[in-house]
Amino acid sequence: GCDASVLLNSQGNNQAEKDGPPNISLHAFYVIDNAKKEVEKMCPGVVSCADILALAAKDAVALSGGPTWDVPKGRKDGKISKANDTLQLPFPTFNISQLQQSFSQRGLSMDDLVALSGGHTFGFSHCSSFQNRIHNFNNITDVDPSMSPSFAASLRQVCPMHNKVKSAGANLDSSPTVFDNAYYKLLLQGKSIFSSDQALLTSSRTKALVTKFATSQQEFYDAFVKSMIKMSSISGTGTEIRLNCGVVNH
C-alpha cells in the first residue's frame, strides 16, 4: 500500500497485484475510488491514492473502536503493479525466523511484527491459508499440537480435507469487526488461525509482547500506532498523483 499499486487494475497481459494469489480476497476497492472522486472534486491533483489508502486504514481502525493517529502524508502513487510482487508478502505459513527476515528487510523490528500482527483482530481467512495446521500437519499428527483440540475440531468441520466451498473459512478472532486485543488472548489459548500467528509464541521476546498485549489493550494500542506510523514511512516507488486510483495516468 506504500504507493497504492495494489489499487491498479490488471491490463492486457499484465496481472496486477490485486489479482495476485495473496490478494484474491481483497475487495471493496470502490470505497477508495469513491473517496478519491470526492477529493478530486475539492482539490484536483493534490491528494494521492496512497495517502487516501493510509487514511482509510486509520479510519477503519478508529471507527471499529481502536486508536487513532496522525497519518504522515505526501506519498506519491506508483505506476507499476505486478501480481508476482505479492510473493514478497509474509506468508501465513511463515515461522518466526522467516517473519523476522521479512519484516527486517522493510526496516521493521520484532516489536513491530507483534504489534502489527494484532491487525488480525480484523477479518476472515479462507481455508487454504490455514489448511496446513488442521490436515496432514506432519508425519505424526494430522493437527498442529499447539492448537486447542476443540478449536481445531471446529475448523476441521468448516474446512474438510477436500473442501469444495470457495467461501469457507474462519474469522481471525472472536470479534472480527471490533479493533481490540482478543487476538492476543486467543493466541495464548491455542486459538490462533495462522502458523505465523502461532510463531509469535516460539520466541521469548515476541511471546512476552503477546502476553503484555493480551493483558493490556492500551499497551497494544500504543504499540500498534507507533508501528503503523513507522510502516507508513516505508518508501514506495511512487512518481505521480493518479487521478483515478485504478489506472495509470496517460
Side-chain angles (χ1 to χ4, degrees), residues 111-187:
D111 289 23
D112 296 318
L113 164 62
V114 181
L116 293 170
S117 293
H120 289 170
T121 179
F122 276 159
F124 175 89
S125 168
H126 290 97
C127 300
S128 56
S129 294
F130 57 88
Q131 198 87 353
N132 65 306
R133 297 188 74 198
I134 58 172
H135 298 291
N136 296 331
F137 180 67
N138 58 28
N139 293 333
I140 301 164
T141 177
D142 239 11
V143 176
D144 184 343
S146 63
M147 213 176 219
S148 151
S150 60
F151 183 62
S154 68
L155 292 179
R156 280 165 65 93
Q157 278 198 312
V158 176
C159 301
M161 180 73 171
H162 301 292
N163 172 53
K164 291 180 181 172
V165 183
K166 282 188 179 177
S167 59
N171 291 325
L172 295 184
D173 84 357
S174 52
S175 51
T177 60
V178 179
F179 196 89
D180 55 20
N181 66 340
Y183 162 80
Y184 297 103
K185 293 177 180 177
L186 292 168
L187 180 49

Side-chain angles (χ1 to χ4, degrees), residues 53-220:
L53 199 55
L55 290 161
K58 182 262 297 180
D59 287 346
V61 170
L63 290 166
S64 303
T68 189
W69 61 94
D70 289 329
V71 176
K73 292 170 262 315
R75 295 166 190 76
K76 291 288 180 70
D77 294 326
K79 295 181 175 183
I80 298 166
S81 185
K82 295 180 180 175
N84 282 346
D85 286 346
T86 61
L87 298 176
Q88 296 175 38
L89 292 168
F91 279 51
T93 53
F94 272 11
N95 61 32
I96 194 68
S97 58
Q98 290 170 313
L99 288 169
Q100 182 176 13
Q101 183 182 13
S102 178
F103 273 65
S104 65
Q105 282 173 350
R106 294 160 178 82
L108 299 170
S109 68
M110 293 286 267
D111 289 23
D112 296 318
L113 164 62
V114 181
L116 293 170
S117 293
H120 289 170
T121 179
F122 276 159
F124 175 89
S125 168
H126 290 97
C127 300
S128 56
S129 294
F130 57 88
Q131 198 87 353
N132 65 306
R133 297 188 74 198
I134 58 172
H135 298 291
N136 296 331
F137 180 67
N138 58 28
N139 293 333
I140 301 164
T141 177
D142 239 11
V143 176
D144 184 343
S146 63
M147 213 176 219
S148 151
S150 60
F151 183 62
S154 68
L155 292 179
R156 280 165 65 93
Q157 278 198 312
V158 176
C159 301
M161 180 73 171
H162 301 292
N163 172 53
K164 291 180 181 172
V165 183
K166 282 188 179 177
S167 59
N171 291 325
L172 295 184
D173 84 357
S174 52
S175 51
T177 60
V178 179
F179 196 89
D180 55 20
N181 66 340
Y183 162 80
Y184 297 103
K185 293 177 180 177
L186 292 168
L187 180 49
L188 292 172
Q189 296 168 26
K191 296 178 181 177
S192 60
I193 295 289
F194 301 135
S195 296
S196 57
D197 295 324
Q198 182 61 33
L200 300 182
L201 299 183
T202 61
S203 138
S204 56
R205 171 70 190 156
T206 54
K207 184 175 182 178
L209 286 169
V210 168
T211 305
K212 181 176 21 170
F213 296 157
T215 307
S216 169
Q217 186 160 273
Q218 191 56 52
E219 292 264 20
F220 163 47

Side-chain angles (χ1 to χ4, degrees), residues 35-57:
K36 177 65 172 174
K37 281 176 193 167
E38 293 302 314
V39 170
E40 283 299 311
K41 284 180 196 170
M42 305 286 287
C43 42
V46 174
V47 183
S48 66
C49 298
D51 272 353
I52 291 172
L53 199 55
L55 290 161

Side-chain angles (χ1 to χ4, degrees), residues 10-39:
S10 296
Q11 281 189 323
N13 293 327
N14 179 58
Q15 255 210 328
E17 280 176 52
K18 64 165 66 171
D19 295 319
N23 289 334
I24 291 298
S25 59
L26 284 182
H27 56 90
F29 292 102
Y30 68 87
V31 174
I32 306 297
D33 292 335
N34 290 345
K36 177 65 172 174
K37 281 176 193 167
E38 293 302 314
V39 170

